[in-house]
Amino acid sequence: MTRSSINAQMAQYGAPEDFDQWAKLMNDDSWSWKNFSQYFTKFERYQPHPNYPLVDTAVRGTSGPIRIGYFNSVSETSKAFIKACISIGIPFIPDFNVSSVTYIDEKRQRVSSESAYLTKDVLARKNLTVALNAQVTRIIFKIENGEKRAIGVQVANSSTGTRYRVLARKEVILCAGAVQSPQILKLSGIGPAEELKSHDISVVHDLPGVGSNLVDHPVVDLYFKDKHDRSLKYFHIKSLLDAFKVLRAAMQYYLLGSGGPLATNLGESAAFVRSDDPSLFPKQQYPETLLDSTSGPGAPDLELFTTPFAYKVCEFSQETHFSPILNDVGENRPLSTGSVLLRSSNPFDLPIVNPNYLKAPEDAVKLARGVRLLLKIAQTEPLASYLDGNFRRPDLDHGTHLKSDEEIMELVRERVETVYHPSSTCRMAPQEMNGVVDSQLRVYGIQGLRVCDTSVYPWIVSGHTAGACYAMAEKLADVLKLSIHQTR
């Protein structure tokens, strides 16, 4: 729930081939796009917008809990970004892989997993209890008919607080995310035996894949000055005029309900490309053949997106107050993998997270290609007219296109960071391939325990991670209902 409360609300789900690859790995056709796609439309409640008539509503869900649509505000620079992408040869698609909309409803409000699923009616159900400030400290097991079974969880609100036991009648479903899910499994005695022993944790089940194979989407930011001073810089108030603009934006959003600047989702426009596309990366300029990490020829490995202002504290923001525009390039299918390790046996100690960005040399090369492409887009009309190309400072990128390949590579290494899409630390894969869960998300070697979050992704999706997580949860709900029905 936390992730969907702070993300950029970009409802882009990845490529259909991503899920076909999952199905092939697990030898389970229920994960293929032709079958799994029903769960995307199941959670969707698409709300058409008159400004986007080209979206094929026939392939969109209309009755699900997650309201999606085009009710975000889009700046003129973000619109110009799309036109510039088209100008350099990136084809326009009105609906990315059957999704490019936002998790923003017709009231211009964020739609999170909490607001969508935990409605007042749902919270009023007698068979649901929501515990606040209750952190799971470990899973409780018992031996049943010679098999290890999860029978509940232990929770507390602080490291010195009382431990409470919450018992399960059927199963325990772990949904703590790609960082906390492996941590909880390890604290409970499920994970690499040597690591558990090093923290004096009794081994319940030796499962080496827990906490390994961490994959995230690395991103590199580029900064440009808005020539027309139209960015949303005034949200960082530094004058009375800024305060007035923020007040006006608040009135437009809260009182008039007409959206305005506060209805931006930040990541307003995006383009997905392949780093081996010869029309964008001609062989004479990019002769190196890179290892293909995608799920298929129709899947991208680079995402380019733009935001209406620089949302992070940068060198220049400390000195002078002008309008910065942020353009980003992210790698959708990195080869580098990292890990989530225990810091201690204390569940309130944050784990050690090492994403290992750029461990695989190909990742840096692909990001460098993306940077070159993004710089080309910034010099292409109509976007070029929105950026002040004469405003040259070392902390801006108006002159970065003049740098050598070696300097661009160094820029990538200096600026690479997370876009907050961790995944694959409790991977759905055959156990001999370091898998943690099977195709029904059951933890190997343990009865009555499943994991359902981005940690089980066999490979990270070549897009934004929230949508596939919603679909996965909807799929698991059907699996559980069928399982309960069969045991009655």
Side-chain angles (χ1 to χ4, degrees), residues 276-464:
D276 59 2
D277 184 342
S279 67
L280 300 174
F281 305 101
K283 272 290 184 182
Q284 59 269 31
Q285 187 178 351
Y286 301 94
E288 184 178 359
T289 299
L290 302 176
L291 183 64
D292 184 1
S293 60
T294 67
S295 56
D301 58 4
L302 291 174
E303 177 183 2
L304 316 173
F305 62 96
T306 184
T307 69
F309 65 99
Y311 50 82
K312 294 179 294 186
V313 176
C314 309
E315 209 176 299
F316 59 75
S317 65
Q318 300 299 313
E319 301 175 17
T320 183
H321 196 42
F322 61 83
S323 294
I325 300 294
L326 184 66
N327 287 342
D328 308 77
V329 55
E331 188 182 4
N332 283 337
R333 291 291 294 242
L335 292 164
S336 302
T337 60
S339 61
V340 175
L341 303 175
L342 290 178
R343 189 177 301 275
S344 74
S345 60
N346 183 348
F348 290 87
D349 283 347
L350 295 177
I352 300 169
V353 180
N354 178 14
N356 258 341
Y357 297 131
L358 310 186
K359 177 184 178 182
E362 292 91 345
D363 290 344
V365 176
K366 290 180 181 181
L367 283 170
R369 288 189 181 188
V371 168
R372 283 287 188 202
L373 185 61
L374 203 52
L375 292 169
K376 183 178 180 180
I377 293 168
Q379 294 178 282
T380 302
E381 294 295 348
L383 183 58
S385 294
Y386 285 85
L387 307 178
D388 191 349
N390 296 320
F391 194 84
R392 300 294 179 91
R393 285 174 41 159
D395 48 4
L396 294 179
D397 291 297
H398 294 287
T400 302
H401 63 285
L402 301 174
K403 291 187 175 182
S404 66
D405 291 344
E406 291 75 16
E407 289 172 314
I408 293 293
M409 190 66 74
E410 186 60 30
L411 179 150
V412 167
R413 294 191 182 99
E414 288 178 353
R415 299 190 191 180
V416 67
E417 60 178 303
T418 180
V419 77
Y420 309 103
H421 289 172
S423 73
S424 306
T425 50
C426 298
R427 193 169 180 242
M428 177 172 67
Q431 192 169 358
E432 61 271 18
M433 296 176 63
N434 246 14
V436 175
V437 301
D438 66 12
S439 65
Q440 295 190 45
L441 309 186
R442 297 172 296 198
V443 175
Y444 289 118
I446 304 291
Q447 298 295 311
L449 178 61
R450 305 188 201 234
V451 182
C452 185
D453 53 42
T454 61
S455 72
V456 306
Y457 288 6
W459 291 276
I460 195 168
V461 294
S462 53
H464 295 252

Side-chain angles (χ1 to χ4, degrees), residues 174-187:
L174 183 57
C175 311
V179 174
Q180 261 71 45
S181 282
Q183 181 191 24
I184 292 170
L185 287 176
K186 289 181 178 182
L187 290 169

